Amino acid sequence: MTTIRLVQGDITRESVDAIVNAANSSLLGGGGVDGAIHRRGGPAILDECRKLRASHYGKGLAAGQAVATTAGNLDARWVIHTVGPVWSATEDRSELLASCYRESLRIAGELGARTVAFPAISTGVYRWPMDDGARIAVETVRDTPTAVEEVRFVLFDDRAYDEFARVLG
Ligand code: AR6
């Protein structure tokens, strides 16, 4: 059984085996949680992202996929970069968002990570409504068989925390 915990705060302050980054397909950094992870984690993360880009992801990492790098100066062993879908009012992209959580957990399991911290993927710059983003996050983690022992959702503000707490019940 995987334990799900909720924490309010900055994911770059967490001490876990793997921190998941809500990246973009370029893997070259951005704003939001991505910017915060690269700022605090230092240049080693970007170096490895650049190499991965050149060796495997010339066209970028597709939405719903995930890939791991070093965690640089963060208090973690790995950063798992995943690309959430941009919210669309006309197209249901829920499966892509669920895939971000599943693929991140799959990679975490392969690496032997026992504790994994997730942000609320796609709910910032990519505009996914927080209530639905929280539901998909919690349901997907609950439904995904994994050797990861603890999943920690690290929510930046009150509203995100409250939505996750409501879904978790
Ligand atoms: N710790 C935890 N959560 C955070 C932090 C933090 N330090 N900073 C922001 N959040 P976003 P997205 C929350 O925009 O929607 C980037 O530019 C934030 O409040 O970081 O998947 C990438 O490069 C929100 O609830 O990611 C992409 O271009 C959640 O994290 C794009 O944004 C996700 O917000 C990805 O957009």
Side-chain angles (χ1 to χ4, degrees):
M1 270 299 278
T2 307
T3 303
I4 298 180
R5 280 185 55 204
L6 304 186
V7 173
Q8 188 174 345
D10 176 352
I11 201 168
T12 69
R13 303 284 185 177
E14 290 297 310
S15 171
V16 280
D17 292 328
I19 292 177
V20 175
N21 180 20
N24 60 59
S25 68
S26 81
L27 292 175
L28 300 179
V33 72
D34 195 9
I37 283 173
H38 282 285
R39 262 195 311 279
R40 188 171 298 276
I45 302 175
L46 191 56
D47 277 358
E48 210 176 320
C49 284
R50 283 211 180 91
K51 286 181 187 142
L52 278 169
R53 187 73 212 266
S55 61
H56 287 82
Y57 305 106
K59 291 180 181 158
L61 185 67
Q65 302 297 300
V67 67
T69 66
T70 174
N73 301 325
L74 298 173
D75 191 8
R77 294 174 70 188
W78 303 282
V79 170
I80 298 173
H81 307 263
T82 190
V83 182
V86 177
W87 164 256
S88 164
T90 54
E91 187 188 352
D92 182 5
R93 299 177 178 164
S94 306
E95 187 46 41
L96 287 174
L97 184 54
S99 174
C100 289
Y101 290 97
R102 268 198 304 271
E103 282 299 295
S104 298
L105 282 177
R106 182 182 65 74
I107 288 171
E110 280 177 13
L111 291 167
R114 290 191 295 190
T115 51
V116 178
F118 279 98
I121 300 164
S122 287
T123 63
V125 174
Y126 285 174
R127 302 188 319 273
W128 205 285
M130 187 59 77
D131 53 352
D132 199 53
R135 180 186 62 76
I136 291 169
V138 170
E139 284 180 1
T140 305
V141 169
R142 275 185 177 151
D143 292 348
T144 303
T146 173
V148 171
E149 291 166 13
E150 182 189 317
V151 165
R152 207 175 292 173
F153 289 112
V154 184
L155 294 325
F156 210 42
D157 54 30
D158 288 353
R159 201 171 109 58
Y161 185 93
D162 291 348
E163 290 292 355
F164 273 73
R166 197 176 52 78
V167 178
L168 206 53

